[in-house]
Amino acid sequence: LFFMSITVNAQPNKPVVKVAGYPFSPYVTQLSDGRYTGLSIDLVNALNGIQSQVQFEFVATSITNRYKAYEMKRYDMILFESPVWGWSNIGHEFVPLNIHDGELFISLKDKAIDQAYFEDFSGKALSLVKGYHYKFADWQAEPQQLKTQFDIQFVNSNEASIISILRGRAEIAPVTWSYLQFYLSQYPEISPQLLVST
């Protein structure tokens, strides 16, 4: 995971650095009342707590419009992005963070006997979050392109991916490791039903 930054020019008044994020739990979660929580918001608050030269402010963007919004200077930096997620033609600087996360595949144990189940997607319905980039799909995020390669149903979140597996709407779903841990801590009774890839 990476942190993207730009140089902020010093001004007589404290400059504001707009830090963008889009719903991607546990990094950014939008609550039912519209407020945002998560690791990105915690990090913005921590940055404000350890220095007084600039004021960091969280601003919401969308997963599909984040590139255009950055080019239009609607924000200055975004947290927890990867350089392979569509940034190649956009001027930026990436700073690595020492945080490890990534996707694991999940399936119902009554369909998936062992880890070999995740080696071949042919004939299996996948549940993917629209706009996310997946390594097994060569980081392609364009829905129409993905549909030519895989049997896909698109959902809006990691939670929806897990639910689609539990309800039998899909057979395999990639889910962020950190979110899966969070979900299973809330619903431990689900864990025995799932085969999780290694």
Side-chain angles (χ1 to χ4, degrees), residues 21-97:
Y22 48 85
F24 182 68
S25 295
Y27 301 98
V28 177
T29 302
Q30 187 173 18
L31 303 177
S32 58
D33 63 6
R35 290 181 301 122
Y36 290 93
T37 63
L39 183 58
S40 293
I41 287 74
D42 293 344
L43 188 52
V44 166
N45 292 334
L47 288 170
N48 286 327
I50 62 170
Q51 55 78 48
S52 58
Q53 290 79 29
V54 297
Q55 177 68 32
F56 291 92
E57 286 184 5
F58 177 78
V59 296
T61 189
S62 72
I63 193 167
T64 53
N65 291 326
R66 68 192 189 271
Y67 311 110
K68 183 186 271 187
Y70 182 72
E71 290 180 310
M72 295 172 70
K73 303 190 184 307
R74 291 187 177 160
Y75 63 89
D76 304 304
M77 59 191 284
I78 190 166
L79 301 169
F80 308 115
E81 286 283 302
S82 170
V84 299
W85 292 351
W87 293 101
S88 59
N89 297 322
I90 300 170
H92 63 273
E93 179 181 343
F94 277 93
V95 179
L97 294 177

Side-chain angles (χ1 to χ4, degrees), residues 104 106 162 166 175 177-196:
L104 299 169
I106 63 169
I162 295 170
L166 294 172
V175 179
W177 176 87
S178 55
Y179 185 77
L180 182 61
Q181 302 313 303
F182 169 74
Y183 188 88
L184 293 177
S185 71
Q186 289 187 308
Y187 307 101
E189 70 278 8
I190 299 303
S191 189
Q193 299 178 47
L194 296 177
L195 179 68
V196 179

Side-chain angles (χ1 to χ4, degrees), residues 63-193:
I63 193 167
T64 53
N65 291 326
R66 68 192 189 271
Y67 311 110
K68 183 186 271 187
Y70 182 72
E71 290 180 310
M72 295 172 70
K73 303 190 184 307
R74 291 187 177 160
Y75 63 89
D76 304 304
M77 59 191 284
I78 190 166
L79 301 169
F80 308 115
E81 286 283 302
S82 170
V84 299
W85 292 351
W87 293 101
S88 59
N89 297 322
I90 300 170
H92 63 273
E93 179 181 343
F94 277 93
V95 179
L97 294 177
N98 190 23
I99 294 176
H100 301 282
D101 203 351
E103 267 83 30
L104 299 169
F105 296 114
I106 63 169
S107 184
L108 286 177
K109 282 185 178 174
D110 65 357
K111 294 189 179 190
I113 299 168
D114 56 30
Q115 293 294 315
Y117 188 78
F118 302 116
E119 293 174 6
D120 183 9
F121 295 153
S122 58
K124 297 170 188 161
L126 304 179
S127 181
L128 304 184
V129 179
K130 191 172 185 180
Y132 283 16
H133 297 78
Y134 298 102
K135 184 177 181 180
F136 72 87
D138 296 323
W139 308 113
Q140 175 61 250
E142 175 55 44
Q144 293 306 321
Q145 180 68 31
L146 289 168
K147 283 188 171 185
T148 65
Q149 301 173 44
F150 306 101
D151 178 8
I152 297 174
Q153 68 152 0
F154 287 104
V155 294
N156 335 353
S157 68
N158 277 307
E159 179 181 24
S161 287
I162 295 170
I163 292 169
S164 71
I165 293 297
L166 294 172
R167 294 185 178 166
R169 295 180 185 150
E171 292 158 299
I172 296 176
V175 179
T176 306
W177 176 87
S178 55
Y179 185 77
L180 182 61
Q181 302 313 303
F182 169 74
Y183 188 88
L184 293 177
S185 71
Q186 289 187 308
Y187 307 101
E189 70 278 8
I190 299 303
S191 189
Q193 299 178 47

